[in-house]
Amino acid sequence: MPVTIYDVAKAAGVGISTVSRVLNENSNVREETRHRVLEAIEALGYKPNILARNLSRSHVQTVGVVLSYLTSPFQVTVLQGIERFLAQAGLDLTIFSMESPKRQETLLENLSHGRRCDGLIVISFTPQERFLQRFQRYHIPVVIADFRDERIPSVFVDNVEGGYLATKHLLGLGHRKIGYILDHTEPPNGSGGNEPGADRQRGYQQALLEAGIPFDPRLVAESGLHSRQRGAAAAEVLLNRGELLTAIFAASDMIALGVMEYARKKGLRIPDDLAVVGFDDIELASFAGLTTVRQPMQEMGRQAAEIVTWLMQGEKVLRTSCQLPVELVVRDSCGALALLERR
Amino acid sequence: MPVTIYDVAKAAGVGISTVSRVLNENSNVREETRHRVLEAIEALGYKPNILARNLSRSHVQTVGVVLSYLTSPFQVTVLQGIERFLAQAGLDLTIFSMESPKRQETLLENLSHGRRCDGLIVISFTPQERFLQRFQRYHIPVVIADFRDERIPSVFVDNVEGGYLATKHLLGLGHRKIGYILDHTEPPNGSGGNEPGADRQRGYQQALLEAGIPFDPRLVAESGLHSRQRGAAAAEVLLNRGELLTAIFAASDMIALGVMEYARKKGLRIPDDLAVVGFDDIELASFAGLTTVRQPMQEMGRQAAEIVTWLMQGEKVLRTSCQLPVELVVRDSCGALALLERR
DNA sequence: CTGTTAGCGCTTTCAG
DNA sequence: CTGAAAGCGCTAACAG
């Protein structure tokens, strides 16, 4: 039923390889022949069968994106950047969501020899060594977004700087007791790389240090996840430890939003009673009037996508890591009012 | 280099078709033979080549999802439901984002004969007839989520009911001048189906009618898109038409959020000066304290996914449309206070 | 420049 | 139950 390359060849009075040549824009075809083939293609409404082409070329014109949650606005925004780039590069994008660590295992297991995609982008985590090796054996390039890993190409921001900026800002407003909430210190699976949350804490501590304020571990809490619920819970823990915080820096906007909700529930006014700074600058942050550290999420995705495509074409990428800038975005959640009151 | 079915056959001392049989769990294999093959597979670490399998079976074990914006929390949530179902069904999910109408054309054009996926789910719009025909010719089932179209299987909610519920609620609080903001009345491309925004308006009008309030077209505005910016702009238009609205019902939470932002900017207190009701119940709505009409977004995706997979297996789906329930979720954005003040 | 001929690795009749 | 053989539709040497 479907028209194949043979039909076209016959109709054009040429061999199939010639048809193949014009299909693949191979130059070695006389203009006239080429024309005849094109006409036959047009006349028959021929469309090459991708499946056959894939088998023959042994690739699938697809890059996979592995992310933990489709519920994370941050990750989805990175995904957007990836999608845009891939779309205009003519590559398909298939997504793999690994909601549980166990699922992550089986997922990477499959992907690493399944040839379901020619390249892979993982967001916000780094695969275990054994998977990395397997991907390498199968020549499937992997690049990481939002996570720094020396072993493979990664695109990330300067998290230390981000944490520093946020804390510095709070300090500048007169705050002395500043809490910090991160997702988790240790990566869920014990692989290499630098956890963004931990890096941001470094920046936080550095700013404190410069301001001559001793670091107090009782002012930091872990939320586990980047969710409002967890953020609120962590805020509760922090605020009930007996230390009188006047500000909280959260490792993500989602956590910060949770902090804001908790504060609201407890009748704490923001920023008067509690200043809050987030991280990421997801769309919601502007609605909530949240001061935050902006990451170029889309750009992060775009770059990651660009790098995999290079790698997929066999190009050696020297600059194996790519650091993007962060930027403080000041909004209402830590008004200058706080400054006056506290001095 | 990679181990093929031939290697396994040789190692197990059988023919390749036997290996194929055990691979595909075909019953006609003696238990002992089967065992031997399994061992060979294990020993060699054999993994079937998906590309070859795809060509042979002529399918790709993938379903495509076409959506307009990855920026829409609503669509992403539906996507989540789809992803969950597909993952456990062992199917891959590739996403196609058509940010512009022109891109939609080329996308569907390609998809419809590219055999890049075995089934398709489109979110919030309906493809033009010619594409539908082509998909049918190529036996690629298509199902729609969040849009009703008689021509193909669709999963949607009772939008009229939703609009009715929202308006009724406002009416019950004592509001008489209730505005309505929808995205657009006419579908971007002139294809069939019922626009949700228009249906919700029907419910709105019906509630008004029952309350004996004449419908005033000056109280409805179009935002064009489901975005905060557009929502705010529409609110401005509405609020400056000279009618003294006390409440606005928005066709989506994003629009409602925009309304809230605009109100905030203008110093209007919510709900005291202006009550707001949204639609969807995206995660943000609860943060914003927005009263809204909840759609079972994940479930919508799940059902759509379930239906395509049935169709892909060649099953005839009789019940070509599936309507899910909506539910009013009351939060602060239209407090009962309004009732007292206005009476 | 162009046609012939092997594969790509698996599924699937069709005989035994 | 099992093996041989014929595709699936295209790409890519390899000869002309």
Side-chain angles (χ1 to χ4, degrees), chain B residues 60-278:
Chain B
V60 287
Q61 300 266 61
T62 295
V63 354
V65 175
V66 183
L67 37 71
S68 44
Y69 299 95
L70 228 29
T71 41
S72 158
F74 170 81
Q75 297 198 17
V76 170
T77 308
V78 174
L79 184 62
Q80 263 175 60
I82 296 174
E83 197 283 329
R84 289 232 174 104
F85 183 88
L86 256 26
Q88 59 99 3
L91 262 19
D92 279 354
L93 159 50
T94 115
I95 65 179
F96 301 98
S97 171
M98 24 153 257
E99 313 211 324
S100 69
K102 145 172 39 169
R103 182 151 159 53
Q104 176 187 320
E105 291 271 320
T106 60
L107 199 56
L108 292 177
E109 183 70 34
N110 283 325
L111 246 35
S112 56
H113 37 48
R115 180 111 257 140
R116 301 203 286 180
C117 48
D118 305 323
L120 208 64
I121 297 175
V122 308
I123 304 180
S124 302
F125 80 101
T126 183
Q128 283 110 301
E129 183 64 26
R130 61 189 167 117
F131 293 127
L132 253 25
Q133 285 175 1
R134 193 137 51 195
F135 282 120
Q136 189 166 306
R137 278 201 58 241
Y138 285 84
H139 305 291
I140 298 177
V142 178
V143 359
I144 303 190
D146 185 43
F147 205 99
R148 175 178 206 152
D149 189 326
E150 312 296 345
R151 300 170 299 173
I152 54 184
S154 336
V155 182
F156 49 83
V157 298
D158 188 338
N159 288 298
V160 178
E161 171 74 5
Y164 180 81
L165 249 38
T167 311
K168 192 83 180 174
H169 179 66
L170 253 9
L171 253 9
L173 291 171
H175 295 278
R176 309 291 293 174
K177 284 283 192 184
I178 304 172
Y180 174 59
I181 299 177
L182 76 166
D183 48 344
H184 42 237
T185 325
E186 296 301 324
N189 55 48
S191 30
N194 305 40
E195 285 285 308
D199 279 355
R200 289 165 200 172
Q201 178 169 341
R202 250 169 236 128
Y204 159 84
Q205 295 195 27
Q206 187 183 322
L208 251 30
L209 185 68
E210 288 183 8
I213 300 176
F215 166 64
D216 179 355
R218 285 171 53 79
L219 299 191
V220 354
E222 290 192 25
S223 69
L225 254 38
H226 291 290
S227 74
R228 278 159 48 207
Q229 294 69 27
R230 297 306 196 81
E236 174 161 30
V237 168
L238 221 46
L239 260 11
N240 288 138
R241 279 201 186 143
E243 309 290 339
L244 289 169
L245 300 181
T246 63
I248 289 181
F249 165 41
S252 75
D253 289 346
M254 285 303 264
I255 294 177
L257 256 17
V259 172
M260 290 175 84
E261 274 183 294
Y262 177 76
R264 191 198 297 160
K265 201 178 81 183
K266 288 299 173 182
L268 295 174
R269 299 203 47 117
I270 288 177
D272 309 281
D273 299 320
L274 184 71
V276 180
V277 177

Side-chain angles (χ1 to χ4, degrees), chain A residues 1 47 49-52 54-55 58-60 70-71 76 79-80 83-84 87 92-97 99 103 113-116 137 228-229 254 257 260-261 264 283-284 286-288, chain B residues 1 47 49-52 54-55 58-60 70-71 76 79-80 83-84 87 92-97 99 103 113-116 137 228-229 254 257 260-261 264 283-284 286-288:
Chain A
M1 179 72 247
K47 300 287 172 186
N49 178 322
I50 297 196
L51 301 184
N54 285 349
L55 173 58
S58 77
H59 72 213
V60 288
L70 227 28
T71 41
V76 170
L79 184 61
Q80 264 174 58
E83 197 282 328
R84 289 230 175 105
D92 279 353
L93 159 51
T94 115
I95 66 180
F96 301 99
S97 171
E99 314 210 325
R103 184 153 158 52
H113 37 49
R115 179 111 257 138
R116 300 203 285 179
R137 278 200 60 241
R228 279 159 48 205
Q229 293 70 29
M254 285 304 264
L257 257 14
M260 290 176 85
E261 274 183 294
R264 190 197 298 161
E283 204 207 324
L284 217 65
S286 75
F287 176 82
Chain B
M1 177 75 247
K47 301 286 172 186
N49 177 319
I50 296 195
L51 301 184
N54 285 349
L55 172 58
S58 77
H59 71 213
V60 287
L70 228 29
T71 41
V76 170
L79 184 62
Q80 263 175 60
E83 197 283 329
R84 289 232 174 104
D92 279 354
L93 159 50
T94 115
I95 65 179
F96 301 98
S97 171
E99 313 211 324
R103 182 151 159 53
H113 37 48
R115 180 111 257 140
R116 301 203 286 180
R137 278 201 58 241
R228 278 159 48 207
Q229 294 69 27
M254 285 303 264
L257 256 17
M260 290 175 84
E261 274 183 294
R264 191 198 297 160
E283 204 207 326
L284 221 70
S286 74
F287 176 83

Side-chain angles (χ1 to χ4, degrees), chain B residues 22-70:
Chain B
V22 345
L23 248 31
N24 298 290
E25 319 206 311
N26 187 315
S27 48
N28 299 127
V29 178
R30 207 198 319 160
E31 185 53 38
E32 187 231 306
T33 318
R34 171 189 165 70
H35 217 75
R36 222 156 8 114
V37 172
L38 253 16
E39 277 175 346
I41 288 179
E42 181 68 24
L44 299 178
Y46 167 74
K47 301 286 172 186
N49 177 319
I50 296 195
L51 301 184
R53 177 173 285 179
N54 285 349
L55 172 58
S56 203
R57 303 214 263 230
S58 77
H59 71 213
V60 287
Q61 300 266 61
T62 295
V63 354
V65 175
V66 183
L67 37 71
S68 44
Y69 299 95
L70 228 29

Side-chain angles (χ1 to χ4, degrees), chain A residues 200-215:
Chain A
R200 289 164 201 174
Q201 180 169 339
R202 251 168 236 129
Y204 159 82
Q205 296 194 25
Q206 187 183 319
L208 251 29
L209 186 67
E210 288 183 10
I213 300 176
F215 167 63

